[in-house]
Amino acid sequence: MTQTTTTDELRLAPWLAGLPIAAALWVLTYAHLTELADLAISLFGLTRATHLGEAVHFFLYDTPKVLLLLTGIVFIMGVIQTFFAPERTRALLAGRRLGVGNAMAASLGIVTPFCSCSAVPLFIGFLSAGVPLGITFSFLIAAPMVNEVALALLLGLFGWKVALLYLGMGLLIAIVAGLIIGELKMERHLEDWVRAIQAGEAMAASGGDLAWPKRLHAGLKHVREIVGRVWPYVLVGIGLGALIHGYVPEDFMAAFMGRDVWWAVPAAVVLGVPMYTNAAGIIPIVEALIGKGAALGTTLAFMMSVIALSAPEMLILRKVLKWPLIATFIGVVATGILLVGYVFNLVL
């Protein structure tokens, strides 16, 4: 026993030395991503005043942000998973009354101000911990769409009634969409490697008898397995988003969003899907569109599709989900967004 304890302590020593350094570097880098991106584009002779400069800046800012979040969250979830077997996690959440777990996940999304791609790492972490699929989707939908950034900006620009209605409708979409996806029992459309982690085949979590070096090593293994598979999709997805982000055609969009025709809302949703930004980035565009005569409901439907159904997000999710599940996710959420657009246009 003494020899085993001494061996574990020796194995823990490198972690105790390395983790604080790694954490400090993580925080320092994450806190200065904007400055680093500014420096990078200046070295290329670009400025954010140009379309190309804004697109390059967006890519250089968002790529390390998402990869840092992915690495940090997956590592922490990997360590946490050693304390809770997947079966225990599933039982904890699956045993709640219908919709309670979805409401909890959607509420968690409100306090995590992530764009859609930044929410994916925690979504993957939930899946790997055995959280039911429908509940994880409630979080994935709510996190980018309903957060304090969006609510604060809507409150300041359009008043508390619009902000409160948006909050209610956004949460309703997240909860109902998660319930529907959960009831469809589509776990078979998760990628095989995700299902292996869920089932505990990729990593045996024996619980409380593991020494800390083994727990930390499990977290590192989790990072290698998940980040190692997903990072190319992150680059492609954010690259696409950066190209579109730099070239937003506001005048063209305002031209049809202000038209009083039934197809304006679905057209706005379709137009928003290829684009990519977060709530803070899209709301100034929403303000500009409304200032040019676009209808509020149509514009909010466009905003929701940009931040909850972006093409870059789908590209990243493709490494985790198979196409039938992605298509179901898009269909359910798009239906909810259409409802929001029509309700806002009818009420306001």
Side-chain angles (χ1 to χ4, degrees):
M1 180 67 71
T2 304
Q3 185 177 357
T4 302
T5 303
T6 303
T7 302
D8 288 339
E9 289 174 351
L10 289 174
R11 290 176 179 173
L12 184 60
W15 287 102
L16 292 176
L19 272 181
I21 296 173
L25 288 174
W26 192 100
V27 172
L28 186 65
T29 303
Y30 193 87
H32 293 88
L33 286 175
T34 301
E35 293 90 335
L36 291 172
D38 289 340
L39 175 62
I41 64 168
S42 68
L43 294 176
F44 290 126
L46 300 171
T47 69
R48 296 185 67 180
T50 64
H51 291 302
L52 178 61
E54 179 63 20
V56 172
H57 184 278
F58 187 89
F59 180 81
L60 295 176
Y61 169 80
D62 234 50
T63 299
K65 182 186 79 170
V66 172
L67 289 176
L68 282 169
L69 285 170
L70 186 64
T71 302
I73 291 172
V74 167
F75 176 78
I76 292 171
M77 292 298 290
V79 174
I80 291 174
Q81 187 177 337
T82 65
F83 290 94
F84 301 98
E87 292 77 13
R88 181 180 174 186
T89 307
R90 281 193 291 268
L92 178 66
L93 287 166
R96 295 186 178 275
R97 288 183 299 173
L98 184 66
V100 174
N102 298 84
M104 291 170 61
S107 300
L108 176 62
I110 297 177
V111 296
T112 52
F114 293 156
C115 64
S116 56
C117 290
S118 300
V120 171
L122 197 51
F123 172 80
I124 296 172
F126 285 160
L127 284 178
S128 67
V131 176
L133 185 63
I135 293 176
T136 60
F137 268 109
S138 288
F139 168 80
L140 182 67
I141 297 164
M145 191 161 56
V146 187
N147 59 61
E148 68 269 28
V149 178
L151 292 174
L153 291 173
L154 284 173
L155 180 64
L157 294 174
F158 305 115
W160 68 269
K161 291 182 180 179
V162 172
L164 189 61
L165 185 56
Y166 180 82
L167 170 64
M169 295 296 288
L171 281 176
L172 184 63
I173 290 174
I175 293 169
V176 173
L179 284 170
I180 293 173
I181 292 173
E183 287 299 313
L184 291 175
K185 308 295 183 186
M186 300 187 72
E187 284 78 6
R188 66 187 183 279
H189 295 299
L190 292 170
E191 285 294 336
D192 293 339
W193 66 273
V194 179
R195 295 173 67 187
I197 294 176
Q198 268 196 320
E201 296 167 6
M203 182 187 66
S206 58
D209 58 344
L210 282 179
W212 270 104
K214 292 182 179 179
R215 297 188 192 279
L216 295 170
H217 180 74
L220 186 60
K221 183 181 178 183
H222 220 52
V223 170
R224 289 171 180 164
E225 289 176 346
I226 295 177
V227 179
R229 293 174 183 269
V230 172
W231 72 264
Y233 287 74
V234 172
L235 294 182
V236 173
I238 295 176
L240 173 63
L243 287 174
I244 298 170
H245 181 81
Y247 299 88
V248 177
E250 292 180 7
D251 291 328
F252 166 74
M253 292 188 292
F256 76 82
M257 286 187 190
R259 300 183 64 177
D260 187 18
V261 289
W262 70 267
W263 52 262
V265 175
V269 172
V270 171
L271 183 63
V273 168
M275 300 186 182
Y276 171 54
T277 184
N278 55 22
I282 193 63
I283 288 181
I285 298 173
V286 167
E287 183 183 20
L289 290 171
I290 291 176
K292 293 179 180 180
L296 179 59
T298 307
T299 309
L300 286 180
F302 165 74
M303 167 184 162
M304 284 179 155
S305 69
V306 170
I307 58 181
L309 288 175
S310 68
E313 176 191 14
M314 299 306 127
L315 285 172
I316 298 173
L317 284 175
R318 175 60 191 90
K319 194 59 183 176
V320 184
L321 314 176
K322 296 178 182 177
W323 282 119
L325 184 48
I326 292 178
T328 302
F329 167 63
I330 292 173
V332 171
V333 177
T335 301
I337 292 174
L338 290 174
L339 177 63
V340 170
Y342 286 124
V343 167
F344 267 87
N345 282 344
L346 182 65
V347 173
L348 300 174

